[in-house]
Amino acid sequence: MESLANLGDGFLTVLTPINMLWVLIGAVLGTAVGVLPGLGSAMAVALLLPVTFSLDPIGAFIMFAGVLFGGLFGDSISGILMNTPGNSTAIAGTIEGHKMATSGRAAQALATSAIGAFIGGIIASVLVVFFAPRLAELATLFGPAEYLALAVFAFVAISAVVTESVLRGLAALGIGLAISVVGIDGISGASRFTAGVPELFDGIDIVVITVGLLALGEVFSVAAKRGTPDETALVPSRGRLWLSRHEFRLAAPAWLRGTAIGIPFGIIPVGGAEVPTFLAYGTERRLDARRKDSMFGRGAIQGVAGPEAAGNATAGTAMGALLALGLPTSATAAILLAAFRQYGLQPGPLLFERAPDLVWALLASFFVGMVVLLILNLPFAPLWAKLLKVPRHYLYAGISVFAMLGVYATSAKILDLVLVTVIGLIGFLMRRYGLPVAPMLIAIILGPLAETEFRRAMAVSESDPAILVSSPISVTLYVVLLLAVAGAAFQKIRSRRTVAQAIADRQRETV
């Protein structure tokens, strides 16, 4: 009941004209950015970070929530109509969604996507409201060793389990950790990797890093591909927006199954919603294979409903993990953690006591934002798709100017403009050579925390390393991590053997 009363206060805060305006702006911006291929909600939040510095924190975070969920809605529009997912989380839903569009059912696919995202997001938000405070109470049991175990869990899970190449994931993690130690060491007072430049004594601003890595890195990457033919073609959205009774009966269980799959993935650091969306797609495909008239491969509505619900459910519970534990479980959550720090706030168990107005207004904004996004996306999806016709050189030139102006407005330092360009080039090289960005961001955000907690644990125990595995929480985290790594290694070995066997069978058939 206490949670409901607090949520009611949050709704009173959100349902004011100015905050409703921020909800609308966030939803529109998020959807617009999500529609454009390559520009995810993480980049949108990163670009908005310097712009929102002068805003009231509640208004800024309400807008960030709109951008986060709007990006997830918008990602699917370009995937369904253009076969070009706005972000990797929309890939699974695009497989069947685009087939529906090419067979004249674009409107039904868009409606299925929007309703699935709404259902997944709302159910996850309800769970966050009731269980995030309990998670925060649990987090008070965490000491230096437990926080270090949590950070190590995030590092290894995102670098070694989720990424396709363990080596590339660890390389990205190493780059992030190297950047995170630039500046004056808070405990010893020694300067590290500053080259004697006074502006670097405070380290590199997280705004500079996120804008350079996500925004300018993508701009350089697109510029490097200049001159390549644009193979994408927009499929016009036509037909009815509302689902028939038969389509609804097919989609409804898939929405619920996708939500159930996506919810647990939000509270563990698995690098985003890619894993649950593909799990939901695989589940629906296996279930549909039992039917005599399986539609998979020809535009199955369940193949859109399950992944879309899973993606938004994961994003919803990821916000719960961020608020209650201070644990960013995806790149977007890591950017939002940086946003909290921009306002002098630290997500975690104490955030519910120190800033209850902000937390409950943010949670209430999830529900309001979902309704606004459903209203925006159901009838106006074809209109959003016209954004795809904006020439890329105009679009990315605007992003470059906006990013540089935002960074300079934050600090008024020329050095930050140089740094954001250098980090943008690093981001470009990472994209070129297939290094994932998420491990680097997680390392930059959690690296200082891991270092501080390790040194605190050693100081408390008088340098006895046994303290690192002296509590049930830290032991459980390390055991779960080992099981996750072993499971991922087993899956990769199994898939390689399957591929090798398939190649060998094909060669024998050829001979």
Side-chain angles (χ1 to χ4, degrees):
M1 292 302 293
E2 185 183 353
S3 296
L4 284 178
N6 290 329
L7 184 64
D9 292 339
F11 273 111
L12 291 177
T13 305
V14 174
L15 296 175
T16 57
I18 184 64
N19 286 333
M20 283 301 295
L21 178 64
W22 294 127
V23 170
L24 185 63
I25 290 174
V28 171
L29 281 177
T31 306
V33 173
V35 166
L36 299 168
L39 307 183
S41 51
M43 182 197 283
V45 176
L47 280 171
L48 286 173
L49 266 181
V51 180
T52 56
F53 189 69
S54 58
L55 286 184
D56 170 53
I58 293 178
F61 279 99
I62 286 174
M63 186 167 67
F64 287 148
V67 171
L68 170 66
F69 288 106
L72 291 172
F73 272 83
D75 288 343
S76 304
I77 295 175
S78 57
I80 290 170
L81 297 180
M82 200 178 169
N83 201 23
T84 307
N87 211 340
S88 56
T89 55
I91 294 173
T94 299
I95 298 171
E96 295 299 318
H98 188 63
K99 288 187 170 64
M100 286 181 70
T102 52
S103 63
R105 295 187 293 151
Q108 289 97 315
L110 291 170
T112 306
S113 166
I115 297 172
F118 176 78
I119 291 174
I122 285 290
I123 293 177
S125 299
V126 169
L127 291 175
V128 168
V129 165
F130 286 102
F131 292 104
R134 305 291 87 78
L135 277 176
E137 291 174 7
L138 176 68
T140 57
L141 302 175
F142 278 51
E146 288 77 14
Y147 272 113
L148 175 65
L150 203 59
V152 172
F153 186 93
F155 290 156
V156 179
I158 292 177
S159 305
V161 177
V162 176
T163 56
E164 293 182 359
S165 167
V166 175
L167 191 61
R168 289 174 178 168
L170 292 176
L173 182 74
I175 295 172
L177 288 174
I179 292 176
S180 73
V181 297
V182 172
I184 298 290
D185 177 22
I187 295 179
S188 67
S191 66
R192 300 185 294 191
F193 304 107
T194 60
V197 179
E199 285 86 351
L200 289 177
F201 286 171
D202 291 332
I204 302 176
D205 196 305
I206 189 66
V207 174
V208 173
I209 295 170
T210 51
V211 171
L213 197 62
L214 296 174
L216 287 188
E218 182 66 23
V219 169
F220 292 144
S221 179
V222 171
K225 297 174 185 172
R226 191 173 65 90
T228 57
D230 186 6
E231 300 174 353
T232 54
L234 183 65
V235 177
S237 172
R238 56 178 181 271
R240 53 190 160 77
L241 278 170
W242 300 106
L243 305 180
S244 67
R245 188 173 296 177
H246 175 65
E247 289 169 334
F248 192 84
R249 277 203 301 268
L250 287 173
W255 286 326
L256 297 178
R257 282 191 293 266
T259 302
I261 291 171
I263 281 172
F265 278 87
I267 57 174
I268 55 177
V270 294
E274 293 87 349
V275 176
T277 52
F278 275 100
L279 276 178
Y281 177 80
T283 301
E284 296 306 323
R285 183 159 194 152
R286 280 195 295 274
L287 291 174
D288 197 59
R290 301 173 183 173
R291 299 162 58 94
K292 290 181 180 177
D293 56 341
S294 174
M295 285 294 291
F296 270 80
R298 294 180 291 155
I301 197 167
Q302 307 97 304
V304 181
E308 291 302 326
N312 259 33
T314 302
T317 47
M319 289 300 294
L322 177 65
L323 292 173
L325 301 175
L327 179 66
T329 54
S330 65
T332 308
I335 305 298
L336 285 172
L337 178 56
F340 273 103
R341 290 181 178 174
Q342 176 176 278
Y343 286 98
L345 298 168
Q346 177 61 45
L350 296 179
L351 185 66
F352 283 81
E353 296 178 10
R354 291 177 177 170
D357 295 344
L358 170 64
V359 171
W360 290 105
L362 180 59
L363 291 175
S365 73
F366 292 176
F367 296 93
V368 178
M370 291 289 173
V371 175
V372 170
L373 283 165
L374 191 66
I375 295 170
L376 281 175
N377 280 274
L378 269 180
F380 297 116
L383 184 66
W384 287 116
K386 293 189 184 300
L387 281 174
L388 299 170
K389 295 182 177 179
V390 175
R392 285 195 165 194
H393 51 281
Y394 293 139
L395 176 66
Y396 286 92
I399 289 173
S400 303
V401 172
F402 193 65
M404 300 298 267
L405 278 176
V407 167
Y408 187 74
T410 304
S411 61
K413 294 179 183 173
I414 296 296
L415 180 65
D416 280 351
L417 296 181
V418 177
L419 287 174
V420 77
T421 307
V422 171
I423 293 172
L425 289 171
I426 293 174
F428 161 65
L429 292 174
M430 290 178 71
R431 286 168 173 80
R432 172 62 66 91
Y433 294 105
L435 269 68
V437 173
M440 180 173 169
L441 279 173
I442 297 294
I444 291 169
I445 297 291
L446 290 184
L449 179 140
E451 181 189 8
T452 303
E453 299 300 337
F454 174 74
R455 293 166 77 169
R456 282 181 58 198
M458 289 294 102
V460 169
S461 66
E462 297 180 346
S463 302
D464 181 5
I467 193 175
L468 301 180
V469 288
S470 61
S471 75
I473 294 176
S474 56
V475 170
T476 302
L477 285 169
Y478 288 126
V479 169
V480 172
L481 178 60
L482 287 174
L483 291 175
V485 171
F490 176 74
Q491 287 288 344
K492 286 181 180 176
I493 293 171
R494 190 178 173 186
S495 62
R496 283 179 186 173
R497 286 181 177 172
T498 304
V499 171
Q501 184 65 39
I503 293 172
D505 291 344
R506 187 173 299 174
Q507 287 175 341
R508 277 197 294 272
E509 289 173 3
T510 305
V511 173

